[in-house]
Amino acid sequence: MRSVSAFIAALLLATPVSADPGAGEVRAGNALYHKGEFQHAIQRYEKAMEKNPSDARIEYNIGTAAYQAKDYDTAIEHFQKSLLTDDDKFRRDVYFNLGDAFYRVGINREDKDLAQSIKRLESSLESFEKARALDPKDRQTIENYEFVKKVLEELKQKKQEQQQQKSP
């Protein structure tokens, strides 16, 4: 497995945001989130979603809690749902976090399914590109984009070498 120390992994908005209706559930979820009780936070956010099913920020909260719980596939699902907003700054943050979550899924699959790993890293790169389009000067996004691009190139090279070894 590749080291990610150079990769800026922190979520831009690691603190979940509050919302109305269901604000009480969101506040309770936020308190649990800050205690590191991510699964319980998700349960509270899901209750808030029942009261306010179209709130993109609650979807985002579920995504950040799932990410912190290292459930990256669930994080991706909820981050994607939270993109349904007109707020460009918020969407930029979501794309950034999507890029990071796709990276995590991809790099975790490198030894099991190289083709799937490459696909997820391509999704990561696309997400960082979209974040960059919304804020071209954001340093973290630029650095993460360049980092993922380099890792993706290495994995594609590795796949090509594996294919050459299999060919007679």
Side-chain angles (χ1 to χ4, degrees):
M1 179 90 103
R2 195 172 310 297
S3 170
V4 294
S5 61
F7 189 69
I8 299 171
L11 295 174
L12 279 179
L13 290 179
T15 302
V17 291
S18 188
D20 291 4
E25 294 293 344
V26 170
R27 280 191 297 277
N30 290 351
L32 291 163
Y33 179 97
H34 290 294
K35 289 180 184 177
E37 298 179 27
F38 304 117
Q39 292 302 329
H40 291 110
I42 290 170
Q43 292 171 355
R44 291 316 269 279
Y45 295 143
E46 287 172 344
K47 287 182 182 179
M49 283 299 301
E50 291 171 9
K51 296 176 182 176
N52 196 353
S54 62
D55 192 320
R57 294 187 183 273
I58 298 172
E59 290 285 3
Y60 179 84
N61 290 357
I62 296 169
T64 59
Y67 178 94
Q68 294 297 340
K70 299 184 181 347
D71 183 355
Y72 303 118
D73 287 318
T74 298
I76 289 167
E77 174 188 341
H78 289 281
F79 286 149
Q80 288 174 326
K81 290 178 183 178
S82 71
L83 285 169
L84 300 175
T85 178
D86 294 330
D87 182 341
D88 283 346
K89 183 185 178 326
F90 180 67
R91 281 195 2 244
R92 185 221 23 153
D93 294 342
V94 174
Y95 279 124
F96 180 94
N97 294 342
L98 264 172
D100 190 37
F102 276 124
Y103 170 80
R104 300 281 176 186
V105 170
I107 210 67
N108 288 337
R109 292 185 179 167
E110 178 182 353
D111 295 332
K112 298 173 206 128
D113 186 347
L114 189 55
Q116 195 57 236
S117 178
I118 289 170
K119 185 177 178 181
R120 290 300 186 162
L121 290 182
E122 288 171 341
S123 295
S124 173
L125 204 58
E126 289 173 22
S127 295
F128 284 126
E129 284 174 357
K130 290 176 181 176
R132 259 178 41 174
L134 292 167
D135 186 358
K137 295 180 183 179
D138 181 67
R139 189 164 188 75
Q140 279 188 310
T141 303
I142 294 166
E143 289 173 1
N144 286 6
Y145 175 87
E146 293 301 325
F147 178 81
V148 172
K149 185 177 176 182
K150 181 180 175 187
V151 173
L152 180 59
E153 289 169 3
E154 291 171 4
L155 291 185
K156 285 181 176 180
Q157 179 65 33
K158 182 178 177 179
K159 183 179 178 186
Q160 185 177 22
E161 289 169 5
Q162 287 178 352
Q163 289 172 339
Q164 289 173 348
Q165 290 174 354
K166 289 180 183 178
S167 297

